[in-house]
Structures are given as structure tokens and as C-alpha cells.
């Protein structure tokens, strides 16, 4: 796991074998490190609205999956705000009790 942060710290190994690496030199660096660690497998980006928005605006995401739960938390950030010329096409919507799963692909 590669965590984008402003706070430098060493890797943290969890029971079960997952190691968290904290990346302070930007989203591109975190993605590059994740791709190297994945050795050809898919890489997923998880995060809050600000981090996901940065990846979208930079053109670094091919697919966006949103899991929408109707809970009002009283705050947050707007995911699709100020992205420039980003175009998304919905490819799936799956409703389930208490959640809707949406999948979009980036359109060039």
C-alpha cells in the first residue's frame, strides 16, 4: 500500500503481511511505486475526494468506481469539481440495499 501524505514516516508493517509506504513526493511517485510493486498487475487508487480528483485531473485514472451510500456526514470535498476537460462515461450501475456502485471509464 502506498499512502500519499504530507507527513514523512517510515514504512509500517501490519500483521498479515501488508506494508504501508508513506509517499511525500506526489501522486505520480506513489503511482509509479505501486506499479513497480504490482509487477504488471492492476493498481487501484483509493482515497478521499482530494486525492482522487488529483489523479483524475492529471489523467492518471482509466476507470473510476464510486460506491455511494446515503449518509450525511456534514462535510467533505467535491469529487468532480475543477477537473478541466475530464470526460467520463458510465459503464455500470449496480444497486444494492443501502449502496449504489457506479463505474465510469475515462473518455479520451
Amino acid at each position: 500500500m502506498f499512502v500519499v501524505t504530507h507527513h514523512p514516516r517510515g514504512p509500517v508493517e501490519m500483521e498479515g503481511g501488508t506494508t504501508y509506504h508513506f509517499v511525500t513526493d506526489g501522486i505520480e511517485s506513489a503511482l509509479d511505486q505501486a506499479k513497480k510493486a504490482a509487477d504488471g498487475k492492476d493498481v487501484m487508487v483509493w482515497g478521499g475526494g482530494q486525492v482522487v480528483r488529483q489523479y483524475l485531473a492529471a489523467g492518471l485514472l482509466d476507470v473510476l468506481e464510486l460506491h455511494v451510500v446515503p449518509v450525511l456526514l456534514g462535510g467533505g470535498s467535491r469529487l468532480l469539481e475543477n477537473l478541466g476537460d475530464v470526460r467520463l462515461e458510465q459503464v455500470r450501475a449496480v444497486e444494492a440495499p443501502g449502496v449504489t456502485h457506479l463505474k465510469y471509464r475515462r473518455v479520451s
Side-chain angles (χ1 to χ4, degrees):
M1 301 287 284
F2 296 87
V3 180
V4 177
T5 182
H6 294 292
H7 307 287
R9 64 184 291 182
V12 174
E13 289 188 42
M14 304 300 289
E15 192 173 310
T18 300
T19 301
Y20 289 84
H21 302 274
F22 299 89
V23 181
T24 58
D25 56 345
I27 62 169
E28 292 89 353
S29 176
L31 185 59
D32 288 343
Q33 291 178 58
K35 285 181 176 182
K36 287 177 187 165
D39 195 27
K41 296 178 185 172
D42 287 342
V43 171
M44 298 180 79
V45 174
W46 292 24
Q50 292 181 13
V51 170
V52 173
R53 190 171 47 247
Q54 289 178 52
Y55 277 102
L56 279 170
L60 298 173
L61 293 183
D62 300 322
V63 175
L64 173 65
E65 291 195 43
L66 300 175
H67 309 285
V68 181
V69 179
V71 175
L72 183 59
L73 299 175
S77 58
R78 295 177 183 226
L79 180 64
L80 302 175
E81 183 175 72
N82 298 321
L83 291 177
D85 190 26
V86 173
R87 295 184 354 189
L88 300 171
E89 175 183 57
Q90 184 176 327
V91 294
R92 184 178 69 208
V94 178
E95 294 183 41
V99 63
T100 300
H101 305 283
L102 303 169
K103 185 173 185 175
Y104 299 88
R105 71 175 177 85
R106 186 182 187 106
V107 179
S108 299

